[in-house]
């Protein structure tokens, strides 16, 4: 007589399952989203755009370790991004076409190591000061390195930079990384790893003391911590992750030049961080996605796209200093109490005149530029596919009316939205 036994795997207690989902659920969702994006946005342009967004997310979050977490305003963070990319490119060219067993996936480590080394070197000097002095030192370092790129032409390749071929690396699992979608998944994996590592750092005691140095360095020094050491460690770690981003950029573009570690690139990462929001870990992620998309979109539409970025930056700093992530965080109490529906119509009411005001302002900018550059087309131009003559007074009158009326209506609607938000919060507090 045979006895039949049933083998059952013991289930995790419900509290342990909820704890696991609370800790790792967001990362599992992020991995699923990253894996599925190429199936949703499958065009070549979309995949290339997402590759750029992935590298910029790492770059912006590494900068947030300085500004958002430690309160250090740097004007030369692109130095680590560029140097990490250059050393990655040189390492790939050194083993290209050989029997080296190092796969392409590991080369961003070279970029991270380079960023860490130079972060230690430059951080030993710059972090001896804070505030304005620190910002000026980083600006000097940025100018020093970017100018050296034009002098040391053998290493940096001068204005043309240096090129590489990612398909010459050893192939693992049949991946040649010739198709852009394969590069996307490489960047996506490194992006997920880097974001998770930087988030883990913010949750450590070191991350907390960085916040304390940002908020009250005198108190930190009083309780026995060396604030210069904390700034130095944060500076070095931010260089490490910026170098990883630079290495991925080298793999993605297959070229590195001096512009990628100049002041312009450092300014771009400041834009991403501020527009996204420095007070929230997700802020730089949002900023990197938005700014990268706008860069690609606006550069195809207008020649003065950088002016629009400047106006956007000024507007965010003046009226939304917590960035886009801060605006989204304000809605969290309403979502928790299901009161967002009370405010959403007012948001839409404010959005419509806001778009009208932006249209009027854009029309003025484009007409001014059209008359200033004196192209072969002369004053003839089109705005939203509507042709007109920029020398005619009627378009200027229409543009001014759109801007003035749209701004007035937006301010009134914004006031109503603010009152509705306050009422929704008060309703939330009622028993």
């Amino acid at each position: 007589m045979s006895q039949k036994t049933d083998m059952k795997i013991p289930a995790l207690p419900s509290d342990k399952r909820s704890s696991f989902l609370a800790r790792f659920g967001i990362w599992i969702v992020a991995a699923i989203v990253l894996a599925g994006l190429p199936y949703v946005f499958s065009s070549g342009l979309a995949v290339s755009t997402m590759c750029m967004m992935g590298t910029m997310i790492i770059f912006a979050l590494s900068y947030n370790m300085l500004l958002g977490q430690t309160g250090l305003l740097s004007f030369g963070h692109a130095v680590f991004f560029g140097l990490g990319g250059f050393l990655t490119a040189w390492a790939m060219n050194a083993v290209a076409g050989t029997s080296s067993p190092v796969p392409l996936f590991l080369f961003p480590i070279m970029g991270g190591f380079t960023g860490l080394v130079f972060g230690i070197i430059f951080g030993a000097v710059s972090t001896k000061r804070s505030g304005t002095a620190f910002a000026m030192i980083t600006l000097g370092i940025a100018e020093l390195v970017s100018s050296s790129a034009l002098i040391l032409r053998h290493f940096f390749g001068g204005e043309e930079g240096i090129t590489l071929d990612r398909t010459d690396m050893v192939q693992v699992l049949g991946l040649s990384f010739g198709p852009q979608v394969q590069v996307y998944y490489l960047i996506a994996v490194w992006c997920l790893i880097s974001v998770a590592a930087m988030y883990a750092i913010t949750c450590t005691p070191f991350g907390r003391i960085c916040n304390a140095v940002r908020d009250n360095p005198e108190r930190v020094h009083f309780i026995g911590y060396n604030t210069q050491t904390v700034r130095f460690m944060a500076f070095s770690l931010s260089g490490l992750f910026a170098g990883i981003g630079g290495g991925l950029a080298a793999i993605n573009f297959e070229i590195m030049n001096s512009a990628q570690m100049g002041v312009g690139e450092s300014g771009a990462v400041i834009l991403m961080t501020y527009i996204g929001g420095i007070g929230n870990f997700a802020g730089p992620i949002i900023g990197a996605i938005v700014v990268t998309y706008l860069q690609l979109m606006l550069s195809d539409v207008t020649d003065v796209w950088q002016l629009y970025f400047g106006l956007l930056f000024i507007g965010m700093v003046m009226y939304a200093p917590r960035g886009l992530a801060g605006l989204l965080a304000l809605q969290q109490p309403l979502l928790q109490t299901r009161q967002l529906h009370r405010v959403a119509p007012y948001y839409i009411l404010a959005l419509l005149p806001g778009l009208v005001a932006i249209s009027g302002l854009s029309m003025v900018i484009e007409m001014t530029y059209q008359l200033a550059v004196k192209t072969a087309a002369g004053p003839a131009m089109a705005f939203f596919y509507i042709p007109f003559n920029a020398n005619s007074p009627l378009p200027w009158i229409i543009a001014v009316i759109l801007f003035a009326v749209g701004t007035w209506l937006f301010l009134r609607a914004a006031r109503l939205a603010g009152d509705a938000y306050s009422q929704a919060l008060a309703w939330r507090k009622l028993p």
Side-chain angles (χ1 to χ4, degrees):
M1 181 176 180
S2 61
Q3 184 177 2
K4 185 177 180 181
T5 59
D6 294 331
M7 299 296 295
K8 295 184 179 180
I9 300 176
L12 289 174
S14 60
D15 55 343
K16 290 186 177 180
R17 288 200 301 268
S18 61
S19 175
F20 176 83
L21 291 176
R23 293 182 60 184
F24 303 105
I26 184 65
W27 304 110
I28 296 173
V29 171
I32 294 173
V33 170
L34 289 174
L37 279 176
Y39 294 97
V40 179
F41 306 99
S42 57
S43 67
L45 177 61
V47 174
S48 299
T49 302
M50 290 187 293
C51 288
M52 292 181 61
M53 289 178 178
T55 58
M56 290 298 106
I57 286 172
I58 299 174
F59 189 27
L61 276 176
S62 69
Y63 184 74
N64 193 56
M65 293 184 68
L66 286 180
L67 182 60
Q69 300 295 324
T70 319
L72 296 174
L73 176 62
S74 172
F75 290 127
H77 198 60
V79 166
F80 310 108
F81 182 84
L83 290 175
F86 271 105
L87 266 294
T88 301
W90 275 105
M92 291 176 62
N93 286 336
V95 302
T98 66
S99 57
S100 173
V102 182
L104 182 66
F105 178 80
L106 297 180
F107 277 93
I109 297 176
M110 173 59 71
F113 176 76
T114 303
L116 176 63
V117 170
F118 282 97
I120 292 172
I121 295 172
F122 296 142
V125 177
S126 59
T127 57
K128 292 183 181 295
R129 297 290 184 268
S130 60
T132 305
F134 171 83
M136 293 300 101
I137 292 173
T138 58
L139 179 61
I141 292 174
E143 291 292 343
L144 173 66
V145 175
S146 60
S147 61
S148 299
L150 301 177
I151 299 172
L152 305 175
R153 303 179 66 88
H154 177 72
F155 182 82
F156 293 103
E159 296 180 353
E160 297 179 356
I162 60 174
T163 59
L164 59 137
D165 186 357
R166 60 177 181 249
T167 61
D168 276 349
M169 304 297 106
V170 61
Q171 296 186 11
V172 179
L173 301 177
L175 298 175
S176 65
F177 292 100
Q180 191 66 29
V181 67
Q182 295 182 7
V183 180
Y184 163 79
Y185 281 114
L186 185 149
I187 293 175
V189 170
W190 272 105
C191 181
L192 187 62
I193 293 172
S194 300
V195 171
M198 283 185 275
Y199 180 76
I201 291 174
T202 64
C203 298
T204 62
F206 171 72
R208 303 304 185 195
I209 203 66
C210 284
N211 297 156
V213 170
R214 174 197 63 195
D215 297 333
N216 196 336
E218 292 81 8
R219 181 65 180 270
V220 173
H221 182 74
F222 178 77
I223 62 177
Y225 286 94
N226 189 326
T227 56
Q228 190 271 331
T229 302
V230 175
R231 292 195 298 267
F232 170 73
M233 293 176 64
F235 192 90
S236 303
L237 288 174
S238 68
L240 183 151
F241 289 105
I244 292 175
L248 292 172
I251 294 173
N252 182 35
F253 296 115
E254 296 184 293
I255 186 173
M256 287 297 297
N257 55 49
S258 58
Q260 291 170 287
M261 59 181 179
V263 177
E265 196 74 14
S266 295
V269 75
I270 295 176
L271 282 176
M272 295 176 190
T273 308
Y274 262 106
I275 291 174
I278 61 175
N280 192 304
F281 182 82
I285 299 176
I286 298 173
I289 294 172
V290 171
V291 171
T292 302
Y293 177 76
L294 289 179
Q295 279 181 334
L296 296 175
M297 183 189 71
L298 290 178
S299 60
D300 290 337
V301 175
T302 176
D303 294 331
V304 290
W305 59 272
Q306 292 177 322
L307 176 60
Y308 290 100
F309 271 110
L311 295 174
L312 176 61
F313 178 72
I314 293 172
M316 294 298 296
V317 172
M318 291 181 61
Y319 301 108
R322 296 178 62 187
L324 297 175
L327 294 177
L328 294 175
L330 289 176
Q331 315 312 315
Q332 184 176 359
L334 303 182
L335 287 173
Q336 292 175 345
T337 55
R338 300 179 181 179
Q339 299 297 317
L340 185 61
H341 67 280
R342 297 178 178 272
V343 190
Y346 293 93
Y347 289 161
I348 299 174
L349 184 65
L351 177 63
L352 296 177
L355 294 176
V356 172
I358 292 173
S359 299
L361 178 61
S362 301
M363 194 172 174
V364 171
I365 293 173
E366 294 301 326
M367 288 190 297
T368 303
Y369 176 75
Q370 184 73 17
L371 295 177
V373 296
K374 296 180 180 179
T375 61
M381 60 176 293
F383 189 78
F384 285 110
Y385 303 103
I386 301 175
F388 58 88
N389 192 314
N391 275 332
S392 175
L394 181 60
W396 290 91
I397 295 173
I398 294 174
V400 171
I401 291 175
L402 288 175
F403 177 69
V405 175
T407 301
W408 181 70
L409 291 175
F410 172 76
L411 293 176
R412 288 181 59 87
R415 193 177 300 113
L416 293 175
D419 294 339
Y421 181 84
S422 300
Q423 293 174 5
L425 288 181
W427 181 274
R428 166 178 173 262
K429 294 177 182 179
L430 291 177

